Amino acid sequence: MNEHIPKSHPRHRSLLLRERLVHGLEAGLTSRAGLIAHGRGEAFDYLLGERTHDFAREAIAAASALLWTARHPVFSVNGNVAALAGEELAGLAKAFPKLKVEVNLFHWSEDRLTRIVDHLEGQGIADVLGLGETEDLPGLESARRRMDRRGIASADVVFVPLEDGDRCEALVASGRKVITIDLNPSSRTAQRASITIVDELTRALPALQAQLVSDRGRGEEELVWRRTIHDNADVLRRAIERIRQGAV
Ligand code: ATP
Ligand code: MG
């Protein structure tokens, strides 16, 4: 699929992600609007120097603590996440089996939902949710209000990368803790989430996986402490400051 992108190309990784998305569009996983949302992310990644900063590492450590101490954590997958990071998500789910995976779509169709579920299960993720009985998340009009009874409906912690602000707000208002990955520290999602990882999705997920593995067996008290002292406003302030410094 991507052998025509030379490894030496300075934007190799960025081009590879574009290829994954275009491929996802062709396979019916991603919507056309999803390509545009990706462009917004790319612009911020450029300004952040396309690397994982200390403020993202700090948020990843807090996210690991919140996930380990959660009762029922659920990872919410949209079309872009499915196309970009199926493999990375499969790695995460394997390292942290307590995590349930649920598909949630803005441009909803049963056909697209089924394709994404099949795609993720094909990557080795067991029992992907989203097609079962649902309940509505209060305060949200679009199809994204749907919550699988066995998934987000009964979750205490929801991981929603690349999300639109209104759903993040509704999830927080419902009393759930929300972890997000969002390259735009000023977005409503980034501002409203309990923990915001300002980093590119496919860089952040393997970093989180490594953190979850290193936290395995760590004492509950230490994890609760780490989760409690996390200062998301400070993380966002540092990310915005980094963008202000310029792209170099
Ligand atoms: P909000 O509604 O939260 O104010 P928005 O309307 O910009 O934000 P969307 O465009 O719906 O939100 O969601 C996409 C978000 O995901 C954007 O903030 C974008 O910067 C971010 N994003 C896109 N691609 C990636 C990626 N690969 N990794 C991390 N973040 C990404
Ligand atoms: Mg929005």
Side-chain angles (χ1 to χ4, degrees), residues 92-246:
L92 190 76
K94 201 170 166 200
F96 188 68
K98 187 164 73 157
L99 189 68
K100 293 298 289 180
V101 174
E102 175 170 337
V103 180
N104 179 279
L105 300 176
F106 184 75
H107 300 282
W108 192 94
S109 80
E110 192 166 332
D111 175 64
R112 208 170 136 231
L113 206 133
T114 308
R115 278 171 200 265
I116 295 177
V117 168
D118 289 349
H119 172 70
L120 296 175
E121 292 190 342
Q123 301 270 1
I125 304 172
D127 191 23
V128 177
L129 301 173
L131 283 164
E133 258 190 78
T134 61
E135 283 172 30
D136 285 350
L137 176 64
L140 202 60
E141 300 267 303
S142 76
R144 290 165 311 146
R145 69 181 184 276
R146 299 164 67 96
M147 305 186 288
D148 197 303
R149 287 233 155 101
R150 292 169 53 219
I152 295 171
S154 46
D156 57 338
V157 174
V158 191
F159 197 136
V160 282
L162 281 52
E163 187 51 88
D164 206 25
D166 57 348
R167 179 159 175 251
C168 177
E169 267 172 5
L171 284 167
V172 170
S174 73
R176 295 173 174 84
K177 294 256 186 257
V178 174
I179 304 169
T180 194
I181 299 174
D182 192 329
L183 278 159
N184 177 4
S186 312
S187 79
R188 271 184 308 153
T189 295
Q191 298 281 336
R192 295 288 182 277
S194 325
I195 298 175
T196 306
I197 301 166
V198 183
D199 197 9
E200 201 285 317
L201 176 72
T202 63
R203 277 199 310 269
L205 290 182
L208 176 62
Q209 183 183 332
Q211 182 73 50
L212 284 164
V213 169
S214 95
D215 284 335
R216 188 178 289 144
R218 212 176 286 277
E220 170 104 6
E221 213 173 299
E222 184 184 339
L223 293 169
V224 170
W225 174 247
R226 193 199 295 162
R227 183 189 83 186
T228 310
I229 60 162
H230 177 69
D231 184 347
N232 211 49
D234 184 58
V235 159
L236 294 171
R237 190 189 49 70
R238 282 151 60 198
I240 291 168
E241 185 52 39
R242 180 64 189 75
I243 290 171
R244 285 220 175 97
Q245 283 168 14

